[in-house]
Amino acid sequence: RCHSPTIKNNNQPTCVTKMLSRSISLLTSPHNLKTNSIAIRSKNNATNFSAASSWRRDWNQLKSNRELNIAVYSCRPYDKFHLSKENERRNKPHEFKFIEGGLNMDNVQFAKDSDAVCLFVNDDASKEVLKKLKENGIKLILLRCAGKDNVDLKEAEALGIAVKNVPAYSPHAVAEFAVGLILALSRKIHKAYNRVRDQNFELDGLKGSNIHGKTVGVMGTGRIGMIFATIMNGFGVKLIGYDPKENKELLANLPNFEYVTKEECLSRSDIISLHLPLAESTVEIINKDTISKMKDGVMLINTSRGHLINPEDADQAIRSGKIGMLAVDVHTAEKDYFFFNREENVIQDRHLNNLLQYPNVIVTSHQAFFTEEALNNISETVFDNAKEFEAKSSK
């Protein structure tokens, strides 16, 4: 059997460009036969879609015996591994075309002749891109994440493109990571780790503070927020939270949890952890005004969405000491940097660059979800969503 195409973009976002001399290679080793893929890679940045015609003919030949032909954008090696493993486990119901670059107007053409696209958090599924996807025959968007904020849902509905997400992929992964960031900041573990690697075993500058007895504000009490609160309860903290919709399960499991107004949550908390979805009402919910209501020296954790925080206002608050400690696994500029090796690049985003210099800030590259269990759950849900879509379409 031939292998599903892998299309490589070396920069993000970039155009998919000059193809190798042979666009498609039929790989016949036992490993390649097992993973069922055709390798396609591009090397530079000049737009050249005409070179794709040869592999498209071969791609069309693969379609007849499959339920869906799926173009997977923003595909990293672990995505390919887990999706291929799940496809193998289910007796290969689908064909995959793996594309390393994130979806945008420059590479939307590579979805042509597919039935569905599989997207991640930073893929561009805006109005114009969706129109192109529709022209290319796409009828389904399979998200590998919970949030749908990168998809123009109204336009997708108008075009008749179904959108399926992964509403709960191991929420423990994100909740546990948020707790880990709190521990790292409060006890300066990140600084200690680097220090001892240089054989510096002094304790000066590493004095931390207890978590026990602190007031922890949970902003967003959905599945992840609830699990986060449950874990933090074991530290002996005072738990308060804000969410327009109260979680009855949370209140039943944690009778000491107290729902308060947004203003109270901000003003009373020693530690604030963000678990809100990105919506019109939550964009830059952390801004100059809301930061002014926080305690001096507050610890702020964001493992949700970068655009929940106004980067300029947060930067100023760190410089002034209003925010005493900050940990972010997401950032407004992550689309240009996260998930890629940028060791040889100069970070052009001033706010992200500043955060990387501050000693009281931890930046991680959107890895809170990144566990074996979560990746398995994502792959399983992607296949379940595809199966559900096919079942409805066949009626």
Side-chain angles (χ1 to χ4, degrees):
R1 300 201 176 191
C2 355
H3 281 250
S4 306
T6 300
I7 303 171
K8 183 173 183 178
N9 296 89
N10 290 336
N11 296 298
Q12 168 68 17
T14 64
C15 310
V16 178
T17 63
K18 179 181 177 184
M19 312 304 289
L20 293 177
S21 58
R22 289 191 66 194
S23 295
I24 297 181
S25 56
L26 301 183
L27 307 177
T28 56
S29 71
H31 170 75
N32 288 334
L33 288 173
K34 182 176 180 180
T35 55
N36 214 28
S37 68
I38 295 172
I40 303 176
R41 288 179 169 81
S42 60
K43 292 294 184 185
N44 41 33
N45 295 332
T47 306
N48 182 6
F49 290 120
S50 61
S53 59
S54 60
W55 63 258
R56 186 172 292 122
R57 287 193 296 270
D58 292 87
W59 173 246
N60 287 334
Q61 294 173 14
L62 297 174
K63 294 178 70 175
S64 57
N65 295 324
R66 299 300 182 197
E67 292 180 12
L68 287 176
N69 296 277
I70 304 171
V72 183
Y73 282 88
S74 295
C75 184
R76 309 304 296 161
Y78 45 83
D79 295 311
K80 183 175 181 179
F81 173 79
H82 284 273
L83 289 170
S84 297
K85 183 176 73 170
E86 186 65 17
N87 202 33
E88 184 80 17
R89 188 179 75 83
R90 301 198 187 204
N91 199 26
K92 302 177 182 176
H94 308 301
E95 282 292 345
F96 288 95
K97 183 192 303 182
F98 296 109
I99 305 166
E100 291 192 5
L103 175 64
N104 54 56
M105 284 297 289
D106 292 325
N107 61 17
V108 66
Q109 186 71 12
F110 281 91
K112 190 173 178 61
D113 301 318
S114 298
D115 304 301
V117 291
C118 186
L119 309 181
F120 198 47
V121 291
N122 291 322
D123 287 304
D124 178 7
S126 57
K127 184 175 182 178
E128 295 306 314
V129 175
L130 288 174
K131 287 180 178 178
K132 280 291 185 183
L133 288 176
K134 182 66 176 180
E135 290 175 13
N136 289 337
I138 297 302
K139 53 189 178 182
L140 172 64
I141 294 174
L142 294 163
L143 294 169
R144 303 194 302 279
C145 53
K148 300 178 182 179
D149 47 273
N150 59 327
V151 181
D152 188 328
L153 296 175
K154 289 183 179 179
E155 184 65 19
E157 183 179 8
L159 293 170
I161 300 176
V163 180
K164 302 283 187 180
N165 68 332
V166 183
Y169 52 91
S170 188
H172 292 87
V174 180
E176 290 169 5
F177 194 83
V179 175
L181 291 174
I182 292 173
L183 287 167
L185 282 174
S186 63
R187 300 305 303 271
K188 303 184 180 179
I189 296 171
H190 58 302
K191 295 181 68 176
Y193 173 80
N194 289 324
R195 184 181 288 191
V196 298
R197 287 176 65 85
D198 292 330
Q199 300 180 37
N200 179 351
F201 300 98
E202 289 183 336
L203 295 181
D204 293 345
L206 297 180
K207 183 172 66 176
S209 60
N210 291 351
I211 296 173
H212 178 83
K214 297 291 192 298
T215 298
V216 176
V218 187
M219 296 191 70
T221 58
R223 189 70 180 165
I224 295 172
M226 179 178 68
I227 294 170
F228 170 81
T230 302
I231 297 171
M232 291 306 299
N233 188 55
F235 284 88
V237 301
K238 168 66 177 175
L239 285 167
I240 61 175
Y242 161 75
D243 197 307
K245 184 178 180 181
E246 293 188 2
N247 187 330
K248 294 181 180 179
E249 183 181 355
L250 170 59
L251 292 173
N253 294 335
L254 294 176
N256 59 322
F257 187 92
E258 180 187 359
Y259 273 105
V260 296
T261 65
K262 179 176 69 175
E263 288 71 21
E264 278 188 274
C265 190
L266 294 168
S267 64
R268 290 173 53 185
S269 299
D270 301 298
I271 300 168
I272 298 172
S273 189
L274 303 179
H275 301 284
L276 292 161
L278 186 63
E280 187 176 345
S281 60
T282 62
V283 171
E284 296 189 355
I285 193 169
I286 303 301
N287 54 54
K288 184 177 181 179
D289 180 56
T290 53
I291 290 171
S292 69
K293 296 178 170 62
M294 298 178 186
K295 288 184 177 181
D296 292 342
V298 66
M299 180 191 294
L300 180 62
I301 310 292
N302 187 11
T303 55
S304 184
R305 286 290 185 269
H307 287 278
L308 295 178
I309 298 177
N310 180 295
E312 175 65 29
D313 295 347
D315 195 344
Q316 291 299 321
I318 295 164
R319 288 173 177 272
S320 70
K322 184 67 176 180
I323 294 178
M325 288 172 276
L326 173 69
V328 293
D329 186 53
V330 288
H331 194 271
T332 55
E334 70 175 75
K335 186 174 182 179
D336 295 329
Y337 301 102
F338 287 13
F339 308 116
F340 293 90
N341 185 343
R342 301 303 192 199
E343 288 180 352
E344 301 300 321
N345 302 116
V346 174
I347 301 296
Q348 297 298 320
D349 185 87
R350 177 170 60 89
H351 301 302
L352 178 58
N353 202 26
N354 286 348
L355 294 184
L356 296 174
Q357 314 308 317
Y358 297 142
N360 55 342
V361 173
I362 294 176
V363 178
T364 53
S365 55
H366 208 130
Q367 72 176 85
F369 80 99
F370 196 57
T371 65
E372 179 74 15
E373 295 83 356
L375 289 171
N376 284 333
N377 289 343
I378 289 170
S379 295
E380 290 169 4
T381 306
V382 165
F383 275 77
D384 289 342
N385 285 341
K387 184 177 181 179
E388 180 185 355
F389 174 82
E390 278 293 277
K392 289 182 178 179
S393 298
S394 63
K395 290 181 179 179

